[in-house]
Amino acid sequence: MSDADRSDDSPRIAAVPYQPAGQQSGGVRPRIPPLWIALGALGLVMAAAVLFFYMARSVQLRIEPAGARIDVDGGVGFALGSGYLLWPGEYRLLARAEGYEDLAAGFQVRNDPRRQSFQFDMTRLPGRLRLVSNPPAQTFIDGTARGTTPLQALELRAGEYDLLLRAPRYQAYEARIEIEGGGVEQTLQVDLVPGWAPVSVRSQPPGATILIDGIEAGRTPQTLEVGAGAHEIALSLPGYATWRDRLTVTANEALALPEVDLQPAQGRLQLSSIPRGASVTVNGSFRGNTPLDLLLTPGRSHTLTLSAPGYRTLEHRQTVTSDGNEPLQLELQAILGSVVLDVQPADAKVEIDGEAVAPGTTEVKLTATAHRIAASKDGHEPWTGTVTPKPGFEQRVTIRLKTEAAAQAARNPARIASKGGPELVLIAPGEFTLGSARGTQGRQTNEALRPVKLSRAFYLATTEISNEQYRRFAGGHSSGIIRRTTLDNDRQPVARVSWNDAVRYCNWLSQQDGLPPAYESSGNDFALVKPVTTGYRLPSEAEWEWAARFAPNRQERRYPWGAAFPPPAGSGNFADASAQGIAEQLLPGYDDKYPAASPVGSFGANPLGLFDLGGNVAEWVHDAYETALAIDPPRVTDPFGPEPGSKSGSDRVIRGSSWLHGGVVQLRSAYRDFGREPRPDLGFRVARYAQ
């Protein structure tokens, strides 16, 4: 049956749900109340919120400039007041602000309960500068060239800049400009100030060439544009003297120079003379010394007067042409005098006023003015002097060249005193033959002739070293006694000293006077320091004999007292009658009153002022004793004997006789002895080089 066939009053038939057996029929499923659902949802939200707030971190984002629009992407969080609550993690910041470049930057929120802060600075957009100048100019910003004006939209970061504009013939423009930035366009227009000024130049006559700083700029009359500053200006016109002046131009200020009246050009005279250096006056006015350029007015006669010492004054008249350049040489007449030259050595080189005189010239004619004379020769000290000849009178110039050694000796004091006691005299160097010739009475085989040159001046003690002087060095020394006669008085010469003892005393004496030591220790012996110093030492054998045989008349001094034997009374302390029983050989008829050593300096000195070079005590000298001497040896300079042990043993040379000697052999100046041991009649004296 269809629904159309049913009436509304008909009973309805409804389906009944199937219900298994044992269940109550008509029961329904329990429903959850909405309140519980709402409470559950609220609980979940609250739990989520608690979890969020527990995990979220407080973050402060600072943006420069303030007010920028900010978007934060990434992670979980939200804005809270002026800050953010964000879960730890990576985030990206986007910021925008007017006049600034967009900012995109990342930041990381750390899992740190403390508040975290992040600072971001946005970059301001550059400004645009529009720069215009009149006239166009080169543009420099902070020293960097940026082109030539006009410049459109020159981009510059915000800030201050040094601006420099340059254009030819205009003053440089310098300014400090400030760029606002942020995309703002600024315009700067500059009118450059001219760096020149109009300068009007006129001359009479006109048509002169104008030169500014040596560069041609036009012809008069003319108005020129001249740069500001100081300048040299000149006007040049043929037939006229060049006019010169200085002018100072102020930029942009016109300058009119007064009309220049050009003067006719002067003639130039190139004046020279013989001799050179003559004094010149023109029309009575001093103009200088030759050689000389003179500017003279053309077309008129000028009086030239030349004068020089030793020459006659010369007067000359001269006319020059306009703008000419003429040479003129005038020779003055010399006023001569005669000068005789007396030169020794005769072959010395002689110069007068720097010009050599022919060798052998003895007379010269010189002008009557001061002349410088110089003489020289190898190995000699140069000589200089002046002479002024007098006409009608002969003048003589005596020139004596000294050898360098003699000249040096002349500069040294004649006598010196050491702090340790002995006084010394200066002895000039020279040449002689050491030893004695065959056939000489009393000659020994060890006295072979040897040519010697002493090149250095030296000092030699006037007396032998006394006991008193030696005991300042060695206080406990005693020279002893001989046959009840003492040798130990203060004024007696020291004796019983070895060669080494004497050398030690020399070094001690050098120390007292602040001189370098002459000896250095060499094992058990001593050796001279090389080169030989100026310290005290024993004299060389050559020095000792040179001093002992010295005679001013150059005659041979065979004995300390002269050339004849026996000695006259008072010649020295030798083995006389008073030495009976002490000495082996006595001088018959000679009595010096001293049986042994006498006080030093008791008898007369030789021509050099030296005492006791014969008699009193024999003396150690520096040289080692040679067992054999060469025959016809070459000349030697400043010899000090062989090195010990080379041609000798350990013996040293002993020179001079003593109070024990009375025979012709020992009393000769050439007598040589040797030994190594101290003796009661053996002492020493000291020497040293002057320079």
Side-chain angles (χ1 to χ4, degrees):
M1 181 173 65
S2 65
D3 291 339
D5 296 332
R6 255 187 321 109
S7 66
D8 292 336
D9 294 332
S10 299
R12 294 181 178 182
I13 300 174
V16 178
Y18 170 76
Q19 181 175 352
Q23 292 186 359
Q24 296 179 355
S25 62
V28 297
R29 181 178 296 172
R31 297 180 60 193
I32 301 174
L35 177 61
W36 286 98
I37 294 173
L39 290 174
L42 179 61
L44 289 174
V45 170
M46 292 181 66
V50 169
L51 177 62
F52 173 79
F53 281 105
Y54 176 77
M55 294 293 294
R57 299 293 181 253
S58 177
V59 176
Q60 182 74 33
L61 299 177
R62 295 188 177 88
I63 307 295
E64 180 62 36
R69 298 186 300 277
I70 300 174
D71 290 323
V72 177
D73 291 337
V76 179
F78 60 87
L80 181 64
S82 61
Y84 290 85
L85 285 176
L86 301 174
W87 274 23
E90 300 284 343
Y91 293 87
R92 184 170 180 79
L93 170 73
L94 299 175
R96 294 180 177 84
E98 186 71 24
Y100 289 84
E101 296 180 2
D102 291 348
L103 172 67
F107 65 94
Q108 181 176 19
V109 177
R110 302 184 305 278
N111 188 17
D112 188 337
R114 292 173 296 182
R115 188 173 191 178
Q116 301 176 44
S117 180
F118 299 91
Q119 176 72 40
F120 300 94
D121 293 325
M122 300 181 70
T123 301
R124 188 168 177 79
L125 290 169
R128 292 186 297 277
L129 176 64
R130 181 173 176 269
L131 186 59
V132 181
S133 70
N134 183 29
Q138 275 190 300
T139 304
F140 298 87
I141 296 179
D142 283 348
T144 302
R146 302 299 293 269
T148 302
T149 59
L151 295 174
Q152 303 292 338
L154 184 65
E155 286 197 350
L156 296 170
R157 293 285 182 187
E160 290 189 343
Y161 296 87
D162 287 322
L163 172 65
L164 172 63
L165 299 180
R166 284 181 177 167
R169 301 177 59 250
Y170 284 80
Q171 298 182 51
Y173 174 84
E174 296 182 71
R176 186 78 174 165
I177 60 173
E178 183 173 0
I179 300 300
E180 184 176 343
V184 175
E185 182 175 287
Q186 298 168 253
T187 300
L188 177 62
Q189 181 155 351
V190 177
D191 290 325
L192 298 180
V193 177
W196 48 269
V199 178
S200 299
V201 185
R202 297 172 299 142
S203 70
Q204 189 57 244
T209 300
I210 306 170
L211 294 100
I212 304 294
D213 296 329
I215 300 174
E216 186 174 334
R219 297 182 183 278
T220 60
Q222 189 167 347
T223 298
L224 309 171
E225 291 182 354
V226 182
H231 300 274
E232 294 278 354
I233 184 171
L235 301 183
S236 176
L237 186 65
Y240 290 84
T242 299
W243 175 87
R244 301 179 187 277
D245 200 359
R246 291 185 62 84
L247 58 87
T248 301
V249 176
T250 302
N252 218 25
E253 292 185 10
L255 177 63
L257 298 180
E259 185 177 69
V260 177
D261 188 11
L262 297 175
Q263 300 298 314
Q266 292 183 308
R268 182 182 298 275
L269 183 66
Q270 298 176 353
L271 180 62
S272 60
S273 69
I274 300 173
R276 182 186 178 94
S279 173
V280 179
T281 62
V282 179
N283 302 324
S285 177
F286 176 71
R287 300 292 290 272
N289 297 86
T290 57
L292 186 65
D293 278 358
L294 296 173
L295 294 177
L296 304 176
T297 303
R300 55 172 290 193
S301 179
H302 299 273
T303 301
L304 310 179
T305 305
L306 282 69
S307 60
Y311 292 82
R312 300 188 190 281
T313 300
L314 172 66
E315 190 172 286
H316 177 82
R317 299 190 67 81
Q318 184 74 22
T319 301
V320 296
T321 60
S322 175
D323 208 16
N325 191 8
E326 304 172 21
L328 175 64
Q329 184 179 69
L330 299 175
E331 184 173 356
L332 284 70
Q333 183 180 355
I335 303 173
L336 300 177
S338 178
V339 175
V340 175
L341 301 176
D342 179 9
V343 183
Q344 290 294 332
D347 60 346
K349 178 183 177 182
V350 178
E351 292 182 345
I352 298 179
D353 297 332
E355 295 187 6
V357 176
T361 299
T362 57
E363 183 176 4
V364 290
K365 299 290 186 180
L366 300 174
T367 56
T369 185
H371 298 272
R372 182 178 182 274
I373 302 178
S376 62
K377 182 180 178 182
D378 289 344
H380 292 70
E381 186 177 60
W383 180 97
T384 59
T386 59
V387 62
T388 303
K390 297 179 181 179
F393 296 91
E394 184 180 271
Q395 289 184 271
R396 189 177 192 86
V397 176
T398 301
I399 301 173
R400 295 291 181 266
L401 298 186
K402 296 179 180 179
T403 63
E404 292 175 351
Q408 180 62 50
R411 290 191 290 269
N412 294 317
R415 302 178 80 88
I416 61 173
S418 68
K419 293 181 181 178
E423 186 180 56
L424 299 92
V425 295
L426 182 68
I427 299 177
E431 297 184 38
F432 75 110
T433 301
L434 187 69
S436 59
R438 294 181 180 180
T440 302
Q441 183 183 13
R443 180 185 184 274
Q444 299 183 109
T445 57
N446 65 359
E447 298 172 14
L449 295 176
R450 290 170 287 165
V452 169
K453 177 181 178 181
L454 300 178
S455 67
R456 297 172 65 179
F458 64 98
Y459 286 102
L460 188 63
T462 57
T463 64
E464 296 153 338
I465 300 300
S466 68
N467 284 314
E468 178 186 16
Q469 292 167 344
Y470 188 79
R471 281 196 280 260
R472 294 175 190 170
F473 160 66
H477 178 75
S478 173
S479 293
I481 60 174
I482 187 79
R483 299 284 181 92
R484 301 183 181 179
T485 299
T486 184
L487 304 175
D488 220 22
N489 290 332
D490 284 348
R491 290 288 299 156
Q492 287 178 296
V494 68
R496 290 195 169 96
V497 289
S498 68
W499 186 89
N500 279 359
D501 292 335
V503 164
R504 292 189 186 95
Y505 175 84
C506 290
N507 275 358
W508 172 84
L509 195 59
S510 296
Q511 185 180 21
Q512 306 311 300
D513 281 10
L515 297 172
Y519 293 96
E520 58 187 356
S521 177
S522 177
N524 296 326
D525 209 339
F526 288 88
L528 271 178
V529 175
K530 299 293 182 65
V532 182
T533 72
T534 56
Y536 291 102
R537 55 179 172 77
L538 296 176
S540 70
E541 182 177 11
E543 289 170 337
W544 191 97
E545 188 167 328
W546 171 250
R549 293 170 58 178
F550 177 82
N553 55 11
R554 300 195 179 189
Q555 294 181 355
E556 181 181 3
R557 198 174 180 87
R558 183 176 299 179
Y559 303 97
W561 57 85
F565 188 88
S571 296
N573 180 16
F574 307 114
D576 62 350
S578 63
Q580 184 74 37
I582 301 177
E584 294 182 0
Q585 185 177 5
L586 305 179
L587 270 172
Y590 187 83
D591 187 4
D592 56 34
K593 311 301 183 186
Y594 294 100
S598 63
V600 296
S602 297
F603 299 88
N606 79 350
L608 292 174
L610 303 171
F611 298 89
D612 299 327
L613 284 173
N616 220 10
V617 291
E619 299 176 15
W620 288 115
V621 294
H622 172 81
D623 305 46
Y625 182 75
E626 295 182 77
T627 56
L629 296 176
I631 299 174
D632 295 328
R635 186 185 71 175
V636 292
T637 300
D638 302 326
F640 280 93
E643 294 296 326
S646 59
K647 296 181 181 180
S648 67
S650 58
D651 290 328
R652 294 284 176 169
V653 176
I654 300 170
R655 294 305 303 260
S657 57
S658 76
W659 54 265
L660 274 175
H661 296 140
V664 68
V665 173
Q666 297 87 356
L667 297 188
R668 292 175 306 110
S669 297
Y671 172 65
R672 302 177 75 227
D673 197 0
F674 61 92
R676 67 182 70 179
E677 301 297 334
R679 294 186 343 209
D681 68 330
L682 178 57
F684 67 97
R685 72 178 70 219
V686 297
R688 53 162 288 209
Y689 275 134
Q691 295 291 338

